[in-house]
Amino acid sequence: MNLLIAYATTDGQTRKIARFAADRLAGQGHAVELLNVEDTEGLDLSRFDGAILAGSLHAGGYQKSLARFATDQAAALARMPTLFLAVSLSAAGNDPEDWAGLHRCLADFEADTGWTPGRTEHVAGAFRFSEYDFFRAWAMRRIADQKGETVEPGTDKEYTDWAALILAVDGWVAGVTPRVKAAAVSAG
Ligand SMILES: Cc1cc2nc3c(=O)[nH]c(=O)nc-3n(C[C@H](O)[C@H](O)[C@H](O)COP(=O)(O)O)c2cc1C
C-alpha cells in the first residue's frame, strides 16, 4: 500500500510517534512517505491509498500548520482511509474531565478544518523539559504538580504507549485497500 504520514510537532514527540508508525508500516512492506506538514505544499494525495495525520495538543489546540493542511486537503482526505494520531498529555491519564476536553478539542478541530478522520487515536505524549524555554518549563512543572507527577528538572518523561500505538496502526492499515486507478475503472 502507498501510505502518507503527515505530522506537526512542537517539541518533537509527535515526530517520534510518526516515525515509529512509519517504521512499523514500512517493516510490513508498505511504501511510506513521512512528511512534516510544513513540507507538503502541492502534495497530490491521489497517489496514496491511505493517510495518517499526527499532531499534538498545545493550550487546547492542535498545530495551526496541521489544521491548514487538513483544511486544504479535506476533500482529498474524505476520499481515502485516514487515521488521526492526536497526541496529548491528557491521554496519559483517566481523568474524565481531561478526556471530555480531548473530545471537545477534536470536535473543534474537525469543525475548523472540515475534515473528519476515519479513525482517531488519542496518543499519550511526553514532557520534554529538554526542549522547553524557561516559561514553558515553569508552566509544565505546574501541570505535572497538579497531576501528581514527579519530574526532574531538564529531564524528559515519556508516556507514549508504543504497544497500543502498534495495535492502532496495525488495526487501521488492515482496513486500507489499494486505490482503484481511474484508468482501470474506465477500462473495466
Ligand atoms: C505549552 C504546552 C501546552 C500544552 N497544552 C496541552 C493541553 O492543552 N492539553 C494536553 O492534553 N496536553 C497539552 N500539552 C502536552 C503536549 O500535548 C505533549 O507534551 C505532547 O507530547 C507534545 O507533542 P510534541 O512534542 O510533538 O509537540 C501541552 C504541552 C506544552 C509544552
Side-chain angles (χ1 to χ4, degrees):
M1 233 66 72
N2 287 318
L3 304 171
L4 169 70
I5 302 182
Y7 68 89
T9 190
T10 305
D11 298 312
Q13 188 66 16
T14 308
R15 181 189 306 114
K16 186 173 175 182
I17 288 165
R19 193 170 286 152
F20 181 88
D23 288 347
R24 173 79 189 170
L25 292 166
Q28 295 169 352
H30 299 293
V32 184
E33 192 161 334
L34 175 66
L35 286 176
N36 188 310
V37 285
E38 306 275 4
D39 301 323
T40 54
E41 198 184 326
L43 185 69
D44 177 8
L45 293 198
S46 68
R47 64 188 173 83
F48 298 103
D49 301 308
I52 296 177
L53 270 62
S56 55
L57 210 47
H58 288 260
Y62 297 97
Q63 283 88 358
K64 286 196 169 58
S65 56
L66 184 75
R68 232 177 355 254
F69 176 75
T71 304
D72 291 349
Q73 298 281 8
L77 289 167
R79 287 194 291 269
M80 65 204 306
T82 55
L83 170 65
F84 181 28
L85 298 177
V87 179
S88 69
L89 279 175
S90 298
N94 295 311
D95 185 322
E97 262 186 45
D98 281 358
W99 277 91
L102 285 183
H103 294 132
R104 263 196 316 273
C105 292
L106 177 63
D108 289 349
F109 180 75
E110 291 178 356
D112 287 351
T113 61
W115 172 56
T116 302
R119 231 188 247 199
T120 296
E121 183 74 12
H122 289 284
V123 180
F127 285 113
R128 287 210 152 188
F129 285 96
S130 58
E131 303 288 333
Y132 302 154
D133 59 22
F134 177 83
F135 291 107
R136 275 148 54 88
W138 176 81
M140 295 312 282
R141 264 199 310 277
R142 280 190 52 146
I143 289 174
D145 276 354
Q146 284 164 8
K147 301 270 171 215
E149 297 286 337
T150 44
V151 287
E152 300 295 324
T155 306
D156 297 347
K157 190 162 184 180
E158 188 172 84
Y159 296 88
T160 309
D161 181 341
W162 301 105
L165 183 60
I166 285 175
L167 286 180
V169 168
D170 286 4
W172 171 76
V173 81
V176 179
T177 51
R179 188 182 278 258
V180 178
K181 299 285 181 289
V185 172
S186 57

